[in-house]
Amino acid sequence: MSDKSHNQNGFKFATKAIHAAQGPEEITGAVTYPIFQTSTFAYLEPGKHKGYDYSRTANPTRKVLEENLAALENGKFGFAFASGMAAITTLMLLLKKGDHVISTHNLYGGTYRLFENVMKKFGLDFTFVDTSEIGNVTGALRDSTKMIFVETPTNPMLNLTDIKAISEISKKQNIMHVVDNTFMSPYFQRPLELGADITLHSTTKYLNGHADVIGGAAVVNDENLAERIGFLQNAAGGVPSPFDCWLILRSVKTLAVRMRQHEENALAIANFLENRKEVEKVYYPGLPAHPHYELAKKQMSGFGGMLSAELGAFEKAKKFAANLRVFILAESLGGVESLLCHPVSMTHAVVPKDERLEFGMTDGLVRFSVGIEDIDDLLEDIGQALDNM
Ligand SMILES: *Cc1c(COP(=O)(O)O)cnc(C)c1O
């Protein structure tokens, strides 16, 4: 596949999304790369095969997805996983007992749970700080610090961390710098270009974008690091099925147009919410009032489709959610359909109350994953839900 695939160098994002690593298949000329739904591959003779032996180790459909995602992140090596959490778990296996990790303090709830309730048992140490203040990161450094794990923007507060500034620290100290890029997708943000060592995704979200697959991915530039992750991907075995890889490949072809529409709709909703008296505060990095608006303009090429709003009380959030007709009350994000989430009772239920209140995650906070429906219908829906709250 590699020699016949289109050479994507020099192509722009939307072209790469459709063509990178995806030249017509060698045997039949199929324009859409096939699903190689097989667990094992025939050897030509003992010790000799055509590049594939067993699908946990490598699979042609997965390989095309991995190369495509690597191209979109402007990286060299991609790895696909069965979920975002499988990707993160595999990255944790790069560490060993006694190693220390500095991480963003309002992380995706599942990542926080993995670090706190699982990885700590294996002797890893975690410090959670507000990474949007670089001083907090340098202040938390120890001799044993081996990884800085950053989520930007954060979920659900939409706080940003300066990826370039963190990568300067991590390079100086020889620390691995990981960025969870799920919220922006490579269309709006490419952490490797800003100096990060690993960019990571829950492909469940924008990359797949149709709320029908659970998946994860990691992309790196360093060959040595790629070798270690490839080894762990095979050793731990958290790999996706060929069919799921194919679905994500299919979805990624429309990533550019979807992301543009997600953003256009989100910006319109953020502006609408800012002018409603029922809403105490709007969190969206595309609003000039957002504390990290300047950084957003610098390190991202757009503001994305996620925003949060403070409605003041749990009862109000509950009423608002019940009133919505187009927005669906559900976890997850990044799909074509608009979703509403109440983080405190849903995605972030595992985060202790005193911790979440520290960064503003109150009982009245709601999070919008803005879809690509007609904006008139979305605004009408939110308007009537606020009117009747
Ligand atoms: C969903 C999500 C994850 C976890 O991914 P799964 O595919 O659900 O395992 C990790 N990080 C972020 C930011 C997410 O939104």
Side-chain angles (χ1 to χ4, degrees):
M1 165 190 359
S2 40
D3 54 332
K4 295 234 176 112
S5 66
H6 292 208
N7 176 2
Q8 340 75 41
N9 293 337
F11 283 147
K12 298 229 163 83
F13 190 95
T15 312
K16 287 201 281 190
I18 294 166
H19 294 291
Q22 295 197 72
E25 190 265 336
E26 299 90 327
I27 298 166
T28 63
V31 167
T32 300
Y33 200 80
I35 309 167
F36 281 88
Q37 193 72 26
T38 183
S39 59
T40 188
F41 299 82
Y43 275 69
L44 299 166
E45 60 186 68
K48 197 169 163 201
H49 57 65
K50 295 182 170 183
Y52 296 96
D53 56 356
Y54 187 59
S55 277
R56 169 160 39 73
T57 315
N59 173 279
T61 314
R62 188 174 97 214
K63 191 160 194 305
V64 169
L65 174 65
E66 292 175 332
E67 290 180 4
N68 183 266
L69 295 182
L72 296 187
E73 283 284 2
N74 229 348
K76 291 202 183 105
F77 307 97
F79 301 90
F81 295 92
S83 67
M85 291 320 304
I88 298 169
T89 301
T90 305
L91 296 183
M92 287 297 115
L93 301 179
L94 290 165
L95 303 172
K96 61 176 190 325
K97 190 174 159 193
D99 286 351
H100 174 240
V101 179
I102 299 171
S103 178
T104 309
H105 75 166
N106 98 219
L107 275 182
Y108 175 73
T111 307
Y112 177 83
R113 178 176 55 198
L114 175 73
F115 290 179
E116 269 299 295
N117 301 348
V118 183
M119 289 301 160
K120 267 192 172 172
K121 282 194 309 202
F122 294 95
L124 298 183
D125 228 343
F126 296 88
T127 305
F128 299 94
V129 297
D130 178 358
T131 50
S132 64
E133 291 288 337
I134 296 302
N136 293 338
V137 177
T138 46
L141 285 171
R142 301 180 195 165
D143 289 343
S144 58
T145 306
K146 290 284 148 49
M147 183 185 281
I148 303 177
F149 187 103
V150 166
E151 206 176 293
T152 181
T154 58
N155 173 23
M157 304 314 299
L158 284 311
N159 280 320
L160 268 58
T161 292
D162 189 332
I163 297 172
K164 207 165 168 196
I166 299 276
S167 77
E168 277 159 18
I169 297 168
S170 61
K171 278 200 171 58
K172 227 181 280 165
Q173 314 267 344
N174 208 12
I175 296 168
M176 225 179 315
H177 178 200
V178 184
V179 176
D180 185 332
N181 197 26
T182 300
F183 264 41
M184 279 300 118
S185 91
Y187 183 70
F188 284 134
Q189 176 170 277
R190 288 182 293 280
L192 298 181
E193 290 177 1
L194 299 167
D197 298 305
I198 304 176
T199 173
L200 132 87
H201 286 277
S202 166
T203 53
T204 312
K205 315 295 168 52
Y206 286 107
L207 287 169
N208 184 63
H210 294 72
D212 51 16
V213 173
I214 299 286
V219 178
V220 306
N221 270 323
D222 183 75
E223 193 169 351
N224 183 35
L225 184 57
E227 223 164 81
R228 290 167 67 201
I229 295 173
F231 170 81
L232 291 170
Q233 180 193 38
N234 183 45
V239 294
S241 74
F243 180 55
D244 282 357
C245 292
W246 182 84
L247 279 171
I248 298 165
L249 265 173
R250 184 276 324 258
S251 299
V252 162
K253 289 178 202 277
T254 57
L255 183 65
V257 282
R258 282 190 284 115
M259 292 313 295
R260 286 198 286 268
Q261 197 59 48
H262 281 298
E263 184 192 39
E264 191 181 313
N265 286 357
L267 191 56
I269 290 172
N271 283 320
F272 178 82
L273 291 172
E274 267 213 320
N275 293 312
R276 290 289 303 222
K277 61 178 185 330
E278 301 89 343
V279 180
E280 292 177 12
K281 194 160 181 202
V282 183
Y283 301 89
Y284 183 62
L287 293 175
H290 189 282
H292 307 135
Y293 178 64
E294 290 305 321
L295 175 60
K297 284 196 294 185
K298 203 172 77 181
Q299 79 178 5
M300 319 189 310
S301 57
F303 305 111
M306 299 300 300
L307 60 110
S308 294
E310 177 56 56
L311 299 180
F314 187 24
E315 276 314 306
K316 289 186 178 171
K318 223 162 130 177
K319 197 79 204 296
F320 176 71
N323 289 346
L324 288 168
R325 298 186 196 123
V326 180
F327 280 81
I328 300 165
L329 184 66
E331 297 192 5
S332 198
L333 61 107
V336 291
E337 59 286 300
S338 290
L339 303 179
L340 186 86
C341 169
H342 180 246
V344 167
S345 67
M346 296 165 67
T347 47
H348 289 67
V350 297
V351 184
K353 187 168 182 173
D354 51 331
E355 269 177 52
R356 63 174 169 81
L357 286 180
E358 226 174 85
F359 42 80
M361 201 196 302
T362 60
D363 294 347
L365 189 82
V366 291
R367 186 195 77 183
F368 298 80
S369 172
V370 179
I372 62 170
E373 299 94 337
D374 193 292
I375 188 61
D376 293 346
D377 292 328
L378 297 181
L379 292 177
E380 156 75 24
D381 192 35
I382 293 171
Q384 63 81 24
L386 289 171
D387 287 341
N388 299 307
M389 205 167 72

